[in-house]
Amino acid sequence: MPKHLYIHIPFCKSICTYCDFKRFVCNKKDINEYTTKIISEINKKYKDCKFESIYIGGGTPNYLDDQTLSSLLSTLSKLQGKNCEFTIECNPEFVTQNQSAILKTHGVNRISLGVQTVNNKILSKYNRHHTKKDVIKAIKFLRANNIENISVDFMYGFNETSLSDLKKDIVFLKKYKIPHCSFYSLEIKSGSVLNKQNYKLDEDKVQEQLEYIVDHMPLNRYEVSSWAIDKQHESIHNKAYWETRDWIGLGLGAFGFENKIYYQNIGSIKKWTKKTTKYTQKDLYLQIIMMGLRLKEGIDLSVPLNKKAYLHFKKQLKYTTIKNNRLLCNNINLLDNTLIELI
């Protein structure tokens, strides 16, 4: 049985211009029925399981009302193993004192806060409905309830973003002593509003912004897009993906990986089914290399399966080094150059 569980909550109050995740603007009845279905599936299939990590993503999971959120968390809290990392993604504007208390009561111990930037004008262009003040208020509510493990999501690469904006984002991390940050490069996804607007990225600016972030980030980089104050604050759940461990995906739009079978839950919020892809040995080896090289510490070659994956692609891994029996990307800023050789 996998040790990691992902639950997808595909509901949002509004749709961000860069997003093409499975998400809906729905009414309370649909949301309650969907959540009830998730709870029923958990009780039917996983009530005796204990997980090392539980991650609720979306969508906007904390868009659920207090009663619905409490019901979901109450069910999930029973699945926590010893030292389980229990994460929920939150939009700042929906974090309240009462919601924070509910999260704490049910064992949530890590928050992934979708900030994107502290520049209110750019937030508006992203169609985000929070402000810098909302972010500060959310952090205060969470900490007042002794939830200290807060990760902040930022985004770079937007043409309208300046280096001065990035500096303010980084200063914000320092000022509020945020222990983990994910800094994602803006991508123009096919189903996004930006793509429909024919928005084009300035690749030179994207590279300039990445270099600025790397040079000025106060936290330690441990993965292409992730920084942490120390190893204890690195994301256990996300590392399960990067280390090609099995995980369960529940809910419409969720992905899962179990026993060499990769799947996505497709359909509607009323009914969804698994669309599966069975990995060949080569597929599995490719997954191990492509995901593992995202980590700064690379791939542990003392693991037999990892060693086999390395030997399979050895001749194509031109931009890598082996150090202390770990396969490392020479420069994770240029990871794409390595991956192109594999595909």
Side-chain angles (χ1 to χ4, degrees):
M1 177 65 67
K3 296 296 184 183
H4 307 278
L5 174 64
Y6 175 83
I7 304 96
H8 194 71
I9 304 298
F11 305 112
C12 298
K13 188 174 182 180
S14 58
I15 305 301
C16 302
T17 56
Y18 52 79
C19 183
D20 77 341
F21 289 150
K22 184 67 73 174
R23 71 278 191 256
F24 303 91
V25 178
C26 290
N27 59 48
K28 185 174 181 179
K29 181 174 179 290
D30 288 336
I31 293 171
N32 288 343
E33 287 180 358
Y34 177 89
T35 310
T36 299
K37 185 174 172 65
I38 293 288
I39 291 170
S40 177
E41 185 173 359
I42 292 169
N43 287 332
K44 183 178 180 181
K45 297 180 180 179
Y46 306 110
K47 65 178 181 179
D48 296 322
C49 296
K50 296 296 180 184
F51 293 98
E52 294 176 7
S53 74
I54 299 171
Y55 192 107
I56 309 174
T60 311
N62 74 320
Y63 179 49
L64 302 182
D65 64 50
D66 288 350
Q67 183 178 350
T68 305
L69 181 62
S70 186
S71 295
L72 176 62
L73 295 178
S74 177
T75 302
L76 290 170
S77 67
K78 299 167 188 172
L79 309 183
Q80 290 180 276
K82 185 178 180 181
N83 300 321
C84 176
E85 177 190 84
F86 191 176
T87 305
I88 183 171
E89 292 181 354
C90 293
N91 275 18
E93 69 269 33
F94 301 124
V95 177
T96 64
Q97 173 66 26
N98 197 51
Q99 184 182 87
S100 301
I102 289 169
L103 298 178
K104 181 66 176 180
T105 296
H106 295 295
V108 173
N109 51 31
R110 185 173 183 273
I111 304 297
S112 179
L113 203 58
V115 177
Q116 315 314 336
T117 178
V118 294
N119 182 314
N120 291 339
K121 290 182 179 179
I122 294 176
L123 285 171
S124 178
K125 291 179 184 292
Y126 287 155
N127 199 33
R128 302 288 289 188
H129 291 271
H130 67 267
T131 63
K132 181 180 177 180
K133 286 184 178 180
D134 292 324
V135 178
I136 295 168
K137 190 185 297 182
I139 292 170
K140 288 182 177 178
F141 283 144
L142 293 167
R143 286 181 170 163
N145 284 277
N146 296 313
I147 301 177
E148 299 289 343
N149 193 0
I150 300 170
S151 176
V152 166
D153 283 358
F154 280 141
M155 188 176 290
Y156 71 94
F158 195 52
N159 294 342
E160 286 80 352
T161 298
S162 67
L163 295 185
S164 176
D165 293 324
L166 295 177
K167 180 179 180 180
K168 290 172 184 175
D169 291 339
I170 291 170
V171 167
F172 184 90
L173 291 176
K174 294 178 182 178
K175 181 176 180 179
Y176 291 95
K177 296 180 172 60
I178 304 298
H180 187 282
C181 174
S182 295
F183 232 123
Y184 296 110
S185 177
L186 175 64
E187 296 180 54
I188 308 302
K189 304 281 185 73
S190 60
S192 69
V193 172
L194 287 176
N195 185 62
K196 293 172 183 176
Q197 294 173 344
N198 202 31
Y199 190 91
K200 302 297 181 185
L201 295 176
D202 182 334
E203 295 301 334
D204 290 337
K205 182 170 280 193
V206 171
Q207 186 60 33
E208 178 188 40
Q209 291 184 18
L210 173 59
E211 290 173 1
Y212 183 88
I213 293 163
V214 171
D215 289 343
H216 294 85
M217 177 64 69
L219 305 175
N220 302 311
R221 193 181 196 185
Y222 70 98
E223 187 266 343
V224 170
S225 303
S226 305
W227 283 260
I229 192 170
D230 53 33
K231 286 193 72 67
Q232 286 68 42
H233 286 87
E234 293 177 4
S235 172
I236 293 171
H237 188 85
N238 287 339
K239 286 180 80 171
Y241 300 152
W242 301 322
E243 294 173 351
T244 312
R245 301 176 187 271
D246 283 13
W247 78 90
I248 295 165
L250 296 183
L252 178 63
F255 292 88
F257 183 69
E258 301 179 57
N259 300 317
K260 298 182 183 179
I261 295 176
Y262 186 74
Y263 59 87
Q264 181 184 16
N265 295 328
I266 61 171
S268 70
I269 58 170
K270 302 288 187 182
K271 184 178 181 180
W272 56 87
T273 57
K274 288 183 180 179
K275 179 183 178 182
T276 61
T277 303
K278 185 169 177 56
Y279 274 21
T280 64
Q281 202 66 34
K282 182 181 177 181
D283 292 334
L284 182 60
Y285 290 161
L286 183 62
Q287 177 82 356
I288 288 168
I289 298 297
M290 290 184 69
M291 297 302 287
L293 286 177
R294 293 182 62 90
L295 290 163
K296 191 174 182 180
E297 65 179 15
I299 300 168
D300 183 358
L301 297 182
S302 69
V303 177
L305 187 60
N306 292 353
K307 184 68 174 287
K308 290 178 182 178
Y310 163 65
L311 292 174
H312 183 89
F313 288 106
K314 183 177 179 179
K315 292 181 180 178
Q316 294 161 260
L317 293 168
K318 298 178 182 178
Y319 306 102
T320 60
T321 302
I322 295 179
K323 185 176 181 181
N324 298 326
N325 207 26
R326 301 191 77 94
L327 179 67
L328 311 172
C329 187
N330 291 343
N331 183 347
I332 60 174
N333 289 338
L334 303 175
L335 179 62
D336 287 350
N337 292 350
T338 301
L339 301 184
I340 287 169
E341 298 289 331
L342 301 178
I343 300 173

